[in-house]
Amino acid sequence: MIRHSTLARALAVGAILCLPAVSHGAEYRLGIFAGTASKDNQSELKTMYKPLVQYLQKATGDTIKVEISQSFANVGRHIGNSRYAIFLGPPHVTAAAMEEGFEPVAKWDKPIFSLYVVLANSRYKTISDTKGGRLGIASRETVAGPLCINALHKAGLKVDTDFSSVYEGKFADVMARQLVENGLDALCTAPGPWKLINEAYPGKMRVVGESVRVPGFAFSIDSDLSSEVKKKLASALVGLGKTPEGLRALQAIKGSAAGATDTLPTSAKEYFASNLLLEENRRRFRTLIPQ
């Protein structure tokens, strides 16, 4: 005679076996280079990118594990070890990821460029007018720094000989304070920092020129993934701003990667071309302003 408990267990197992199979999503690792101008607190960074991770998990049906760094060395090492399935980074780091087999698929809709800023009552009207002045320039470690050099080159100025002094600044707010306190005559920075500077000193500064524009932060996908997986991930990564959840995820991002309201399709070709421009001007930076 079969005991009731045994029968109950047998019926339960039979019912489970008759159920349709439940599909479980895969697990992918998202690597993020947050940029040197972002917060350096890991818990704050993870909180900042949490809406993005949640959005991607919902869009793909997969589990997304995130790893965030502000170290070029760490990111480079992990990219080389195929640690990530998806990678988010600025153009120069995206180009480095391409060499390790990553394919850019979605870019921020806001390009990166540099702006030359002076006091509102300054006599300077153009970048060329800043010749002979005291210049503050974004760090060579950023994308903005080499673009600042490129803008000077196009204006016919040599950063090593045509200024009374040149200050390479990692923090735009420090350069802004020097400008206001008459320690600098002009500064060159990216749009994100300029927005914060303008909010801190409303009406006290103005822009006299811009550099060429290059594509901004981009999502890249590991080329070793299957075509089906790459297609699915690319579909989730392009057009984030088209949905309320995706737009909120972009708006939650601060620091170097801030400012995007959507993600547009891109390609390795676009980032290869921009990296050639950046490399040429990094070389000029190293040559004209020794470390």
Side-chain angles (χ1 to χ4, degrees):
M1 181 176 179
I2 302 177
R3 294 185 180 182
H4 290 294
S5 59
T6 305
L7 178 61
R9 284 198 298 271
L11 291 173
V13 171
I16 292 172
L17 292 175
C18 290
L19 290 175
V22 178
S23 176
H24 295 282
E27 180 176 301
Y28 298 107
R29 189 170 293 276
L30 166 64
I32 297 175
F33 179 79
T36 55
S38 298
K39 295 179 180 295
D40 56 6
N41 184 296
Q42 273 291 310
S43 64
E44 290 184 49
L45 285 171
K46 288 183 177 179
T47 299
M48 183 192 307
Y49 284 99
K50 184 176 180 180
L52 174 64
V53 174
Q54 291 175 330
Y55 174 83
L56 293 177
Q57 289 186 143
K58 183 178 179 181
T60 62
D62 299 317
T63 299
I64 307 292
K65 298 290 186 179
V66 66
E67 184 174 292
I68 307 172
S69 179
Q70 291 175 276
S71 165
F72 288 107
N74 285 344
V75 167
R77 182 168 59 253
H78 293 166
I79 288 175
N81 292 336
S82 299
R83 189 181 183 96
Y84 312 125
I86 311 168
F87 178 72
L88 173 64
H92 57 309
V93 184
T94 296
M98 285 165 49
E99 295 181 5
E100 300 295 340
F102 281 79
E103 304 171 4
V105 295
K107 65 177 180 178
W108 272 196
D109 64 336
K110 304 297 184 184
I112 297 178
F113 57 99
S114 293
L115 305 102
Y116 274 80
V117 178
V118 300
L119 290 176
N121 60 358
S122 170
R123 62 181 177 84
Y124 302 135
K125 305 297 182 185
T126 66
I127 294 177
S128 299
D129 293 338
T130 63
K131 182 177 181 178
R134 298 162 298 171
L135 176 65
I137 192 169
S139 168
R140 69 190 70 206
E141 295 180 358
T142 66
V143 175
L147 292 178
C148 291
I149 297 295
N150 181 254
L152 289 178
H153 182 73
K154 287 194 169 186
L157 299 179
K158 295 181 179 179
V159 70
D160 58 334
T161 59
D162 286 335
F163 295 91
S164 60
S165 66
V166 177
Y167 169 75
E168 181 184 354
K170 182 177 180 180
F171 301 105
D173 59 334
V174 173
M175 292 195 292
R177 187 166 62 249
Q178 288 181 302
L179 185 65
V180 170
E181 295 175 355
N182 198 36
L184 292 173
D185 298 308
L187 66 85
C188 183
T189 189
W194 160 239
K195 180 182 178 182
L196 297 177
I197 289 172
N198 206 29
E199 291 173 354
Y201 303 97
K204 291 192 175 183
M205 303 179 195
R206 58 184 169 83
V207 175
V208 295
E210 297 180 0
S211 74
V212 66
R213 300 186 175 206
V214 298
F217 271 67
F219 286 109
S220 300
I221 297 175
D222 185 353
S223 60
D224 286 338
L225 296 172
S226 71
S227 58
E228 292 81 7
V229 170
K230 287 190 288 186
K231 183 177 181 180
K232 179 178 72 168
L233 294 179
S235 178
L237 296 169
V238 175
L240 284 176
K242 300 295 190 296
T243 66
E245 295 87 353
L247 180 58
R248 283 195 291 269
L250 291 173
Q251 291 172 335
I253 299 172
K254 309 299 180 185
S256 298
T261 56
D262 202 1
T263 47
L264 308 175
T266 189
S267 65
K269 182 178 180 181
E270 184 174 17
Y271 278 84
F272 179 78
S274 70
N275 195 54
L276 287 179
L277 173 72
L278 292 172
E279 281 297 327
E280 178 184 6
N281 288 284
R282 282 194 199 93
R283 178 185 54 78
R284 287 194 181 116
F285 207 134
R286 291 192 299 268
T287 302
L288 301 177
I289 310 177
Q291 186 77 45

